[in-house]
Amino acid sequence: RTVIEAARRAPGCLDFHLSADPLDEGRINIHEHWTDSHAVESFRGAGPAADQQAAILDARVQQHRVAETTLLT
């Protein structure tokens, strides 16, 4: 909860969400939506603290650039 609240208060954060994977109990899914790469890099800084880093067994980070968004409602 603390990291979600901090992220959502950060300049440029449009959404930040953590969720437990429904099929793999050892997996956490993270969704981040930022205005630009500068905003996300400013929030991340040097990365997770040492105790958090020690708990991470595997990580995959992908960045997507969206050319267009259409509201469906």
Side-chain angles (χ1 to χ4, degrees):
R1 183 176 181 107
T2 302
V3 72
I4 295 169
E5 291 171 343
R8 290 183 180 178
R9 283 192 308 267
C13 181
L14 301 173
D15 192 16
F16 190 99
H17 180 77
L18 303 173
S19 63
D21 188 278
L23 301 177
D24 183 347
E25 66 183 40
R27 180 176 168 172
I28 297 171
N29 296 304
I30 304 170
H31 168 82
E32 299 180 42
H33 185 184
W34 297 86
T35 55
D36 54 54
S37 57
H38 176 71
V40 69
E41 294 305 324
S42 293
F43 172 72
R44 287 187 182 163
D51 60 330
Q52 291 176 324
Q53 188 66 40
I56 297 172
L57 303 177
D58 185 26
R60 292 181 188 90
V61 178
Q62 297 176 335
Q63 177 175 317
H64 304 276
R65 296 196 186 277
V66 178
E68 182 178 328
T69 299
T70 303
L71 187 60
L72 298 177
T73 58

